[in-house]
Amino acid sequence: MDLAADSVTRRRDAWAWRFLCTALSFALFGVGGVLLRVLILPVVLHWPGPATVRRRRARRTVGRAFWLHSQFMYRTGVIRYRFEGLERLGRPGQLIVANHPSLIDVVFLLGHVPDANCIVKHSLWKNPCMRGPVRVAEYISNDGSADMLERAADVLREGQTLIVFPEGTRTTPGQPPVFHRGASAIAVRGATVVTPVFITVRPTTLTKAEPWYRIPHRRVDMHLRVGDDIVVAAFSESTPAPIASRRLNEHLHALYARELQA
């Protein structure tokens, strides 16, 4: 039995096996997005219930699909992952801030916090595989419009959880994350609490400079660690919003530089 287990472990660590499963993972992601759009989400949306209930069903359906995809990558040995502090995510009015070292960290975070809203790249609204799920789940498009910050603050004031990747793009390997001030501006406008999630991916994979077929020499380890809550009032009370958002953004920069280096 031990020899059989060792054989499976060696096979899963093998480059050719991981290459095959990575290719299959991308194929399944595309096919799954189309199936969600064409077959599954229309049924979920038209099932009787108020608009908020149907939205929650749609998000949970999309989140479940992301969770299944993350489990496929995990079970086939493409990736190992640990999620510390997951039970503290998903609270009303909570802004979840995360760094963005890889393309797949979005899948893992949304898959494990399925009721959350999320600010996503505007290009996904034109992607044939993803435009259906992101529209139906009513995620917020990072379209650069002036009212995007207010829309994001509104969902927090409504009691939704919102996930934001303040870098706006994937982190450059070897460099600390550089956050735009938008996430802090949203927090000051509408969040009850900001909760950081520190994500490390080693060795690097699916960064902005790495195509999917550039498979790392060993299996990827992803670690998602939930940090301590940040009380927004400590930055915004009796302080003009622009100054409060700048101070909060500076705090996040220092926090992520320290925690990711550690």
Side-chain angles (χ1 to χ4, degrees):
M1 184 65 70
D2 290 341
L3 290 176
D6 289 343
S7 175
V8 171
T9 300
R10 286 195 298 271
R11 182 186 68 177
R12 289 185 171 182
D13 281 337
W15 185 91
W17 171 260
R18 288 183 290 109
F19 179 90
L20 175 64
C21 291
T22 300
L24 186 56
S25 176
F26 270 83
L28 288 175
F29 191 85
V31 172
V34 173
L35 289 177
L36 277 173
R37 177 187 174 192
V38 175
L39 296 179
I40 300 173
L41 289 174
V43 175
V44 172
L45 276 180
H46 289 90
W47 201 265
T52 54
V53 173
R54 286 184 287 134
R55 182 187 66 198
R56 189 179 305 117
R57 286 196 207 116
R59 283 188 188 160
R60 287 182 176 178
T61 302
V62 174
R64 185 64 175 176
F66 282 158
W67 184 85
L68 288 171
H69 195 76
S70 70
Q71 294 308 298
F72 174 82
M73 290 187 285
Y74 171 67
R75 298 295 179 182
T76 56
V78 171
I79 192 168
R80 288 181 293 228
Y81 78 97
R82 288 184 297 147
F83 211 134
E84 296 183 27
L86 175 60
E87 68 281 357
R88 294 193 290 111
L89 300 182
R91 288 170 280 163
Q94 179 186 45
L95 180 66
I96 300 172
V97 175
N99 59 309
H100 193 15
S102 175
L103 187 64
I104 55 176
D105 49 42
V106 180
V107 174
F108 278 80
L109 197 50
L110 279 172
H112 287 78
V113 193
D115 285 337
N117 204 328
C118 185
I119 297 180
V120 299
K121 292 173 61 176
H122 182 62
S123 60
L124 292 181
W125 263 252
K126 301 177 182 178
N127 185 298
C129 297
M130 289 305 299
R131 67 186 180 191
V134 297
R135 286 178 186 272
V136 171
E138 297 184 21
Y139 295 148
I140 298 172
S141 170
N142 188 6
D143 57 11
S145 64
D147 65 342
M148 188 273 290
L149 298 181
E150 204 57 42
R151 292 202 311 270
D154 283 341
V155 305
L156 289 166
R157 288 190 286 260
E158 290 171 9
Q160 298 183 40
T161 302
L162 180 63
I163 298 174
V164 179
F165 296 87
E167 294 167 273
T169 188
R170 280 163 277 174
T171 313
T172 301
Q175 300 294 324
V178 178
F179 291 168
H180 299 293
R181 201 184 296 179
S184 297
I186 293 168
V188 168
R189 284 172 167 83
T192 57
V193 67
V194 175
T195 305
V197 178
F198 309 105
I199 304 175
T200 56
V201 179
R202 296 190 178 96
T204 62
T205 187
L206 297 175
T207 65
K208 206 168 183 63
E210 291 176 311
W212 72 265
Y213 51 81
R214 189 174 298 169
I215 307 301
H217 64 282
R218 63 175 176 83
R219 184 162 37 175
V220 172
D221 283 294
M222 175 183 285
H223 184 199
L224 304 98
R225 179 169 58 87
V226 180
D228 295 331
D229 290 340
I230 301 169
V231 180
V232 180
F235 297 87
S236 61
E237 192 171 8
S238 302
T239 306
I243 296 175
S245 62
R246 188 188 72 231
R247 289 176 178 172
L248 179 55
N249 196 54
E250 290 171 352
H251 175 76
L252 289 171
H253 268 134
L255 177 65
Y256 272 82
R258 180 175 69 248
E259 294 294 330
L260 292 177
Q261 186 177 24

